[in-house]
């Protein structure tokens, strides 16, 4: 049996899958895709991930993309320890939560790409940038690459995204029961949001992660970080001094 993960060390979607693999105690091999060098848009990589993003999991040679889908697949294929509730209604709630968090990725990108893709994209000439953008499969990401290269997000846009992400903390605060998001046990819902919370805590809104502001989330985050799988999944600092 072989599990190969094509991933980015700092990518939130990749961190989700690493967390899931480590919770399951699986042996996996990692291949780092350098996003700012556009390795995710190379013809070889697009063959296994037509969206041109990380992560992609290869299980016995069969590729799978979308971090939420990959985590569910891992949970079904390697059932121990279970990371989905037993009750179908609770399972549906977890899926909707993952979908909801997926929809917020654009807000994270506004902060993250300033430290990663924007650094290299800004150095491209207009002709090089055009070539780079032509290789990006989706219109939404073409726009993000263009913004990263030429028009950094304004303070107003960052504040808008920060407010959306703080709203996520409010939703979590209202949802948490028995310490976890759904079904009273650690699940794929907790895994899906953990990389977002890492970034909120690290840079985006650390003042909102206090016991005074969001007591349930603060306790939840301490419990996630205390899990051995979290340490192994390596959520290192996003902001790096190169
Ligand atoms: N919905 C996808 C999102 C994947 C995604 O956006 N990955 C980012 C890193 S977190 C990426 O590859 N960005 C590079 C790019 O868009 O060029 C998933 O969950 O797998």
């Amino acid at each position: 049996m072989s599990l190969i993960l094509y991933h980015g060390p700092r990518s939130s979607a990749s961190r989700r899958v690493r967390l899931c693999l480590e919770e399951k105690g699986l042996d996996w091999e990692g291949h780092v895709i350098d996003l700012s060098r556009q390795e995710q848009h190379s013809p070889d990589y697009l063959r296994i991930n037509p969206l041109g993003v990380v992560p992609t999991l290869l299980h016995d040679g069969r590729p799978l993309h979308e971090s939420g889908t990959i985590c569910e697949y891992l949970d079904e294929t390697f059932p121990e320890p279970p990371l989905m509730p037993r009750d179908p209604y609770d399972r549906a709630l977890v899926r909707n939560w993952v979908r909801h968090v997926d929809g917020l990725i654009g807000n994270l990108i506004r902060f993250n790409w300033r430290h990663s893709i924007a650094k290299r994209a800004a150095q491209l000439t207009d002709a090089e940038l055009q070539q780079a953008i032509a290789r990006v499969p989706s219109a939404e990401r073409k726009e993000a690459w263009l913004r990263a290269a030429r028009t950094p997000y304004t303070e107003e846009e960052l504040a808008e995204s920060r407010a959306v992400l703080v709203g996520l903390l409010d939703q979590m605060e209202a949802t948490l029961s028995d310490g976890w998001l759904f079904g009273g046990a650690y699940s794929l819902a907790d895994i899906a949001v953990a990389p977002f919370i890492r970034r909120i805590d690290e840079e985006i809104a650390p003042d909102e992660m206090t016991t005074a502001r969001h007591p349930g989330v603060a306790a939840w985050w301490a419990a996630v970080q205390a899990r051995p799988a979290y340490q192994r999944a390596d959520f290192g600092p996003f902001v790096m001094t190169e």
Side-chain angles (χ1 to χ4, degrees):
M1 195 276 293
S2 96
L3 286 167
I4 300 175
L5 185 68
Y6 291 83
H7 66 128
R10 296 186 286 172
S11 138
S12 297
S14 303
R15 287 176 169 186
R16 266 184 185 178
V17 176
R18 296 205 300 269
L19 199 47
C20 186
L21 286 163
E22 294 298 345
E23 284 292 346
K24 296 280 177 188
L26 294 164
D27 275 333
W28 57 280
E29 184 185 320
H31 284 270
V32 170
I33 297 293
D34 187 334
L35 299 180
S36 59
R37 290 187 187 277
Q38 279 197 289
E39 288 177 5
Q40 73 278 30
H41 302 140
S42 73
D44 278 351
Y45 187 75
L46 288 173
R47 268 192 278 282
I48 58 168
N49 187 325
L51 303 180
V53 291
V54 288
T56 303
L57 181 77
L58 237 57
H59 180 202
D60 290 338
R62 293 198 299 178
L64 198 55
H65 62 272
E66 276 304 323
S67 59
T69 308
I70 296 172
C71 289
E72 267 210 60
Y73 172 78
L74 287 171
D75 193 51
E76 287 180 1
T77 311
F78 307 99
E80 294 302 326
L83 291 172
M84 280 293 265
R86 277 173 175 267
D87 177 60
Y89 181 75
D90 284 339
R91 296 168 78 85
L93 291 182
V94 169
R95 291 191 185 104
N96 270 355
W97 174 257
V98 174
R99 188 178 288 202
H100 171 61
V101 177
D102 282 350
L104 302 180
I105 186 85
N107 296 288
L108 211 58
I109 280 179
R110 286 186 178 184
F111 289 93
N112 289 359
W113 283 26
R114 299 183 308 166
H115 306 294
S116 54
I117 287 172
K119 287 194 171 169
R120 195 175 302 270
Q123 293 166 358
L124 301 176
T125 64
D126 285 349
E128 287 166 341
L129 182 60
Q130 261 186 5
Q131 272 180 2
I133 288 176
R135 295 170 60 195
V136 180
S138 80
E140 180 210 347
R141 291 298 164 88
K142 280 185 199 293
E143 167 69 13
W145 269 81
L146 189 61
R147 288 298 305 264
R150 293 293 184 261
T151 11
Y153 291 104
T154 62
E155 282 308 317
E156 208 177 10
E157 285 171 314
L158 292 174
E160 201 179 271
S161 284
R162 186 179 291 111
V164 171
L165 294 168
V166 170
L168 177 65
L169 301 183
D170 296 339
Q171 288 158 359
M172 288 175 70
E173 197 65 36
T175 307
L176 286 161
S177 73
D178 297 332
W180 303 112
L181 283 169
F182 292 101
Y186 185 74
S187 74
L188 295 185
D190 302 287
I191 287 180
V193 77
F196 279 62
I197 301 307
R198 169 76 174 111
R199 290 292 293 126
I200 293 171
D201 188 42
E202 179 183 16
E203 183 192 21
I204 299 169
D207 47 321
E208 293 289 340
M209 290 295 295
T210 58
T211 306
R213 295 290 303 145
H214 292 96
V217 176
W220 170 91
W221 183 226
V224 171
Q225 291 178 93
R227 297 179 79 84
Y230 176 85
Q231 300 306 325
R232 293 195 299 268
D234 189 8
F235 282 31
F238 197 96
V239 184
M240 296 199 219
T241 43
E242 283 166 72

